[in-house]
Amino acid sequence: MQYFIDVILPIPLERLFTYSITRAESEFLKAGMRVAVPFGKSKVYTALVFEIHQQQPVAYEAKEIHQILDDAPIITQTQLTHWQWIAEYYLCTLGDVLRAALPNSFLLESETIITKNNDKIINDVDLKDEEFLVYEALHHQSSLKLHDLISILDKKNVFPVINSLLDKDAIVLQEEVYEKYKPKLVRYVKLSSQYSESEKLQHLLEELSRAPKQRDVIMTLFSISAQTKKPVKVSDLSDASDASPAIIKTLIDKEILEEYHFQEDRVAYSGDANEASKTLNIYQEKALEEIQQSFEKFNITLLHGVTSSGKTEVYVKLIEEVISKGKQVLYLLPEIALTTQLVSRLETYFGGKVSVYHSKYSSHERFELWNNVLQNQPKAQIVLGARSSIFLPFHDLGLVIVDEEHETSFKQFDPAPRYHARDAAIVLASLFKSKTLLGSATPSLESYHNVKQGKYGLVEITHRFNDVMMPDIELVDIQDKHKRKRMKGHFSDRLIEEMTEALRVGHQIILFQNRRGFSPIVECTTCGHAPQCPNCDVSLTFHQYKNELRCHYCGYYTAMLKNCMACGSVELDNKGFGTEQVQEEAKELFPEYKVGRMDLDTTRGKFGYDKIITAFEQKEIDILVGTQMLTKGLDFRNVKLVGIMNADNMLNFPDFRALERSFQLMLQVSGRAGRTDERGKVLIQTYNPHHRILHQVSTNNYAEMYLEQMDERHNFKYPPIYRLIKITLKHKDFNKVNIGAEWYATGLRQVFKSNILGPEFPPISRIRNQFHKNILVKIPPQQSLSKTKKAIVKINNSFLSIKEFRSVRVILNVDNF
Ligand code: ADP
Ligand code: ZN
Ligand code: ZN
């Protein structure tokens, strides 16, 4: 009798691959365990056992595996089922899913490069002989590949040694370019020790009677310390005493206060829960009850609650209930930028039961969390994560929460699997027979449509917490302002007025400038030439800070030009404006205030966001300029004014969702204003003050926006009425893409008739020297999705079997919006 296993290889193969195993191995192995296998001429991969059986493969002779890597499955049966759904639905391979799902260190292969972990001191005695040999070798050579290890150890099976070195954190794998973990530093103050004698203190207070504000700060410091008996944060002190950072700084400079820092550890929170969750107000209470009732009828419920209505506290109650039954909770967030505030909030309620999972964490951190979830450890009972956390090995998932469900960053665009985490999470919950709660102040049309179709339940909260009024939104016609010379740079007189007043009374301000469609392009005023990226069909954008021209598609950059490349003129003008320019202008308008900026360029790295968010929270920044990152669920107490610099580039974005997205973005940014007692103010600058969407934003009229947009989707056959699959062909040869796309589209038209759009070159048709051409398949509501996909796969296979097209890359993107 012969024994075989089918495995998933971490490469995009259409089928599973079969290897032969011994009888003993067949008794030991289970689906979900890893094995090291040879592949091709000389490669070694980590593969995942999918099935154990006795059928010899027909087409090839099965090779033997190198070895077994696990004692027990690291992937559950439920995960395998889930992965199969993902592969089928999103038209990708199980290998694609495997790669996306597992932390790198689980997937060693022949190409893996190993280096020493210089951040950790390893004691030689802690290493076994073979581990020591490898570690020693890394002292002399900065990096090693698998075959080096094979010769150092003189054996084929080196994975276990690597694994145990990884376990000990002694080595790292080189694909990881992760930012090292930096704990967050929080500023504290205490009274300088020279005043511990009461006489000296007395003297000090007398002296300060001439500086009442400074005296106030000291008195407040005493009363906070007396109350909390804990170190005092600078931010708490300045809140409680109403003192500006400048006053506290003066006291520090005069050596009356002493400043010190504590590390706030985020990855490993060891503290206990120290607060009971909040008592819900009547609206939240009602929402909670309605959600519970809704769950009796529906597997999925949408919580539509205006910004600052206290949705998070409602989630907390649901989470409490689920974890009290010993079940796990997955809390999905669009971007980890949000987690800083949320993690600390959840930790005060749930202590060490909260774990965060994110691709920016190092492979080692992710590996640890993976195991915690797999072993059902209490410290991973609540997983807070971005989209990739849907791949974790949950055991007993009791609830999925998808916060800010309308966010487009839940969809993965590249590489495959091109999944939507909200939708994949719903499927995951259903595999556990559990419920999913979607939450948003501005639900996606597709989720709201599902409510209207009777597929999801709906619960609403229309009151902000504490009955704070929705912000007052004012539209500013900048065309008119330009005509009447009432603009200073990109700031209208209205915006400047409101900013001046807000700053005067000590409020903070957010200025929003959308990144999409923004391009400070350099143009020659003499001949009109704009410098282009040599690899892509786009103009380079100007980055003032580094005085560089950059391509946002391929990363190409060059120093800013002194003369026009075409005519030599020195009169180069930068058109358009971005966050950087807004920041510069704001600094000039308000030189005595601190202006910060939050966008992709200022927040690179794991803790980039944190620094800016913390600085803003602690009022070290008065005016924060940012992109859509600012829209996301952040809770800043002291912001009373939000300025949207230009609404038009959002509204005019060439995409069928542009208006829906504009509505969501603007309402979300507006929601950052006036979250506590006073009513906030929002100014939207626009050339189209009569645009319907802007009116819907200013009156917070979701219902009208929904109806009007759905009309458009009906008329133009777009989601959520029709479904979409986008097919992209890529090649460096323009003709090949062109001819190939024609062939492909003709094949599709024979089956789907007029529901095929294109082939069409996208606005940017060449990226990284590859030409792109798109074909769009529109799927009417009655048409079977699975049959449609089968037909596409068939056409795809015939396309790739044609010799001249074989080198063309085809990308299938299901629900590509
Ligand atoms: P949303 O997520 O709906 O925008 P949040 O959950 O962030 O709203 O709540 C807004 C603010 O109100 C937060 O600062 C939160 O701490 C506070 N809050 C919400 N519910 C309560 C409650 N029941 N008791 C006290 N404070 C609350
Ligand atoms: Zn020129
Ligand atoms: Zn480029």
Side-chain angles (χ1 to χ4, degrees):
M1 192 64 93
Q2 274 187 298
Y3 297 87
F4 299 95
I5 47 172
D6 287 350
V7 301
I8 308 174
L9 282 157
I11 43 178
L13 297 175
E14 277 307 314
R15 296 202 190 93
L16 298 172
F17 223 69
T18 308
Y19 289 87
S20 82
I21 49 173
T22 64
R23 183 195 166 120
E25 286 170 335
S26 85
E27 278 159 11
F28 181 78
L29 275 172
K30 292 190 189 68
M33 281 160 75
R34 291 172 306 158
V35 287
V37 295
F39 188 78
K41 278 214 184 76
S42 61
K43 288 209 165 89
V44 184
Y45 281 112
T46 300
L48 193 78
V49 179
F50 189 81
E51 207 182 347
I52 300 142
H53 59 84
Q54 297 177 343
Q55 276 95 52
Q56 184 140 13
V58 212
Y60 53 95
E61 189 170 346
K63 289 185 190 167
E64 286 170 18
I65 62 168
H66 277 349
Q67 77 189 120
I68 298 170
L69 298 171
D70 297 308
D71 298 332
I74 58 154
I75 305 291
T76 67
Q77 201 54 54
T78 316
Q79 277 178 293
L80 288 177
T81 315
H82 191 222
W83 292 8
Q84 275 176 293
W85 178 85
I86 291 176
E88 251 164 57
Y89 186 89
Y90 292 105
L91 297 175
C92 65
T93 67
L94 279 169
D96 290 326
V97 186
L98 177 68
R99 261 226 181 279
L102 285 189
N104 267 334
S105 50
F106 277 123
L107 289 176
L108 298 172
E109 58 184 56
S110 39
E111 297 309 305
T112 307
I113 295 167
I114 296 151
T115 56
K116 213 172 84 188
N117 181 4
N118 290 320
D119 289 348
K120 180 124 183 181
I121 299 158
I122 299 287
N123 213 332
D124 290 351
V125 295
D126 293 338
L127 299 175
K128 295 200 193 108
D129 289 352
E130 288 187 330
E131 293 166 9
F132 180 76
L133 282 177
V134 174
Y135 198 64
E136 232 337 84
L138 284 171
H139 283 298
H140 306 296
Q141 226 172 323
S142 61
S143 71
L144 296 171
K145 273 195 171 187
L146 209 66
H147 60 87
D148 301 322
L149 265 63
I150 292 173
S151 55
I152 292 169
L153 300 177
D154 194 23
K155 67 177 192 181
K156 244 206 232 154
N157 302 337
V158 296
F159 283 17
V161 181
I162 303 178
N163 279 329
S164 61
L165 283 168
L166 277 172
D167 260 352
K168 292 178 179 165
D169 217 7
I171 58 170
V172 286
L173 307 182
Q174 194 149 63
E175 315 98 296
E176 305 174 38
V177 280
Y178 299 101
E179 183 115 334
K180 289 285 164 304
Y181 171 65
K182 281 194 213 81
K184 178 187 169 191
L185 285 180
V186 179
R187 275 174 78 203
Y188 289 83
V189 275
K190 61 181 179 198
L191 196 65
S192 165
S193 51
Q194 53 169 317
Y195 298 110
S196 48
E197 287 168 43
S198 61
E199 220 170 280
K200 284 199 173 149
L201 181 62
Q202 203 60 40
H203 189 70
L204 172 71
L205 291 176
E206 270 160 36
E207 211 172 282
L208 284 184
S209 59
R210 269 165 290 137
K213 280 198 176 160
Q214 294 180 19
R215 200 186 132 111
D216 254 14
V217 172
I218 305 289
M219 297 312 283
T220 314
L221 178 66
F222 288 154
S223 80
I224 302 181
S225 323
Q227 266 170 26
T228 61
K229 306 202 166 43
K230 277 195 231 159
V232 179
K233 283 188 200 166
V234 173
S235 56
D236 292 346
L237 180 60
S238 99
D239 276 351
S241 63
D242 252 346
S244 69
I247 295 179
I248 296 178
K249 187 166 178 298
T250 311
L251 287 165
I252 295 170
D253 290 345
K254 285 164 80 179
E255 292 184 3
I256 297 171
L257 292 183
E258 215 171 276
E259 175 185 32
Y260 60 109
H261 296 87
F262 271 154
Q263 288 190 355
E264 213 162 74
D265 199 344
R266 285 229 172 78
V267 170
Y269 179 86
S270 55
D272 297 323
N274 52 23
E275 244 176 62
S277 63
K278 298 197 162 69
T279 314
L280 300 184
N281 69 18
I282 49 166
Y283 307 111
Q284 289 169 318
E285 196 63 59
K286 186 158 160 279
L288 179 64
E289 261 167 45
E290 287 175 3
I291 292 167
Q292 281 154 339
Q293 283 162 11
S294 173
F295 278 161
E296 280 167 24
K297 255 173 75 191
F298 300 100
N299 287 328
I300 302 141
T301 292
L302 173 65
L303 174 60
H304 181 194
V306 294
T307 50
S308 203
S309 54
K311 295 184 285 295
T312 318
E313 303 300 328
V314 177
Y315 303 152
V316 165
K317 299 288 177 193
L318 289 166
I319 295 172
E320 276 176 351
E321 193 185 306
V322 173
I323 63 168
S324 74
K325 295 184 199 143
K327 290 174 186 267
Q328 297 168 313
V329 175
L330 171 61
Y331 190 137
L332 271 182
L333 283 164
E335 244 169 85
I336 230 61
L338 299 178
T339 54
T340 314
Q341 289 187 331
L342 192 64
V343 173
S344 13
R345 231 163 125 182
L346 294 185
E347 277 172 350
T348 56
Y349 302 144
F350 300 110
K353 288 191 173 147
V354 186
S355 287
V356 181
Y357 192 70
H358 183 247
S359 58
K360 268 193 181 170
Y361 283 172
S362 75
S363 188
H364 189 72
E365 288 166 309
R366 288 190 289 153
F367 172 84
E368 267 181 19
L369 178 61
W370 184 283
N371 286 327
N372 290 342
V373 175
L374 182 66
Q375 292 152 18
N376 218 347
Q377 298 269 359
K379 60 182 154 192
Q381 220 180 337
I382 304 165
V383 175
L384 197 63
R387 58 177 182 239
S388 57
S389 49
I390 60 154
F391 294 117
L392 285 167
F394 294 102
H395 257 274
D396 194 2
L397 186 61
L399 174 68
V400 172
I401 293 169
V402 185
D403 198 8
E404 312 288 346
E405 68 85 28
H406 63 278
E407 274 291 336
T408 40
S409 50
F410 279 127
K411 166 79 175 171
Q412 158 127 337
F413 284 94
D414 253 323
R418 298 180 172 79
Y419 64 102
H420 197 298
R422 173 195 60 209
D423 301 343
I426 287 173
V427 173
L428 183 67
S430 77
L431 293 176
F432 285 97
K433 303 213 170 0
S434 296
K435 308 291 176 184
T436 306
L437 182 66
L438 310 178
S440 173
T442 52
S444 62
L445 289 196
E446 62 267 19
S447 292
Y448 212 75
H449 181 63
N450 279 326
V451 169
K452 296 276 179 195
Q453 297 272 299
K455 288 186 193 155
Y456 298 177
L458 175 69
V459 174
E460 289 174 309
I461 312 181
T462 51
H463 291 254
R464 288 187 128 191
F465 184 74
N466 266 345
D467 277 316
V468 181
M469 281 206 278
M470 292 302 283
D472 168 29
I473 301 181
E474 176 181 328
L475 303 175
V476 180
D477 180 349
I478 41 177
Q479 178 145 34
D480 178 63
K481 296 285 182 197
H482 271 296
K483 248 192 245 149
R484 297 199 280 146
K485 306 247 177 301
R486 300 239 168 114
M487 296 292 288
K488 277 193 187 152
H490 296 94
F491 290 74
S492 63
D493 55 353
R494 278 296 294 131
L495 184 55
I496 296 174
E497 267 165 43
E498 289 289 340
M499 287 178 72
T500 312
E501 177 57 17
L503 292 170
R504 192 183 64 77
V505 296
H507 289 158
Q508 287 170 295
I509 299 172
I510 286 178
L511 296 178
F512 173 77
Q513 171 60 18
N514 191 33
R515 184 179 195 81
R516 287 169 88 179
F518 122 55
S519 39
I521 289 168
V522 172
E523 203 179 71
C524 169
T525 51
T526 311
C527 78
H529 176 81
Q532 303 286 307
C533 173
N535 312 318
C536 315
D537 277 346
V538 289
S539 301
L540 296 169
T541 56
F542 177 55
H543 284 236
Q544 188 165 354
Y545 171 62
K546 288 196 169 157
N547 202 32
E548 272 171 5
L549 293 171
R550 281 186 168 272
C551 170
H552 286 183
Y553 290 85
C554 73
Y556 170 88
Y557 63 93
T558 174
M560 173 63 188
L561 305 172
K562 294 208 167 56
N563 314 83
C564 169
M565 292 203 303
C567 76
S569 158
V570 290
E571 284 176 37
L572 300 176
D573 184 27
N574 20 347
K575 288 202 322 185
F577 69 110
T579 42
E580 233 183 281
Q581 208 159 343
V582 175
Q583 186 188 21
E584 287 306 314
E585 292 184 11
K587 273 185 192 161
E588 266 171 46
L589 287 168
F590 301 99
E592 61 278 38
Y593 292 94
K594 187 116 201 309
V595 187
R597 177 160 63 95
M598 176 152 141
D599 57 23
L600 261 185
D601 299 324
T602 58
T603 56
R604 279 185 211 291
K606 190 156 87 178
F607 294 98
Y609 292 113
D610 282 15
K611 267 213 317 250
I612 297 169
I613 292 173
T614 311
F616 197 50
E617 273 173 351
Q618 304 208 346
K619 301 190 188 149
E620 283 157 25
I621 294 174
D622 304 298
I623 305 171
L624 184 59
V625 181
T627 57
Q628 45 256 57
M629 277 180 195
L630 281 179
T631 59
K632 302 185 179 156
L634 295 168
D635 192 11
F636 299 119
R637 332 244 69 201
N638 193 41
V639 175
K640 294 285 151 41
L641 177 66
V642 168
I644 296 179
M645 301 306 293
N646 177 328
D648 306 294
N649 51 20
M650 287 182 255
L651 294 168
N652 299 332
F653 197 77
D655 178 275
F656 75 92
R657 292 190 92 183
L659 297 185
E660 178 194 355
R661 295 283 302 132
S662 304
F663 180 87
Q664 289 161 341
L665 267 173
M666 283 188 260
L667 264 189
Q668 294 282 351
V669 204
S670 305
R672 305 306 119 214
R675 289 172 71 86
T676 40
D677 37 4
E678 276 165 82
R679 188 173 190 195
K681 174 91 187 169
V682 179
L683 289 180
I684 303 181
Q685 304 195 123
T686 173
Y687 284 95
N688 295 290
H690 300 295
H691 201 292
R692 294 197 55 84
I693 284 288
L694 293 179
H695 279 269
Q696 287 152 4
V697 170
S698 63
T699 52
N700 191 18
N701 196 339
Y702 181 85
E704 188 183 292
M705 184 282 294
Y706 174 78
L707 287 177
E708 287 189 9
Q709 291 308 308
M710 285 300 284
D711 248 8
E712 301 274 300
R713 307 286 172 91
H714 260 291
N715 295 341
F716 298 101
K717 303 185 173 176
Y718 274 111
I721 311 292
Y722 276 55
R723 290 166 178 274
L724 294 182
I725 297 177
K726 184 165 103 177
I727 301 167
T728 304
L729 279 69
K730 286 190 194 177
H731 200 275
K732 62 178 188 303
D733 178 353
F734 176 83
N735 283 328
K736 214 163 227 179
V737 173
N738 235 354
I739 299 166
E742 274 314 322
W743 189 101
Y744 209 117
T746 309
L748 290 167
R749 277 210 182 83
Q750 280 166 4
V751 186
F752 302 109
K753 310 286 181 299
S754 65
N755 285 322
I756 302 301
L757 292 191
E760 220 174 331
F761 285 112
I764 295 153
S765 60
R766 188 175 55 117
I767 296 175
R768 297 172 196 272
N769 272 324
Q770 299 267 317
F771 287 94
H772 290 210
K773 204 159 189 180
N774 295 328
I775 305 169
L776 202 59
V777 183
K778 287 185 166 180
I779 307 167
Q782 323 74 333
Q783 187 173 313
S784 150
L785 197 56
S786 61
K787 279 191 191 143
T788 306
K789 286 177 184 165
K790 278 204 187 98
I792 291 174
V793 169
K794 211 168 141 200
I795 292 166
N796 194 50
N797 288 340
S798 2
F799 176 80
L800 293 174
S801 67
I802 296 168
K803 205 166 145 225
E804 56 169 317
F805 297 145
R806 207 161 289 157
S807 58
V808 176
R809 257 197 84 199
V810 183
I811 290 162
L812 304 175
N813 192 341
V814 178
D815 301 338
N816 68 296
F817 50 90

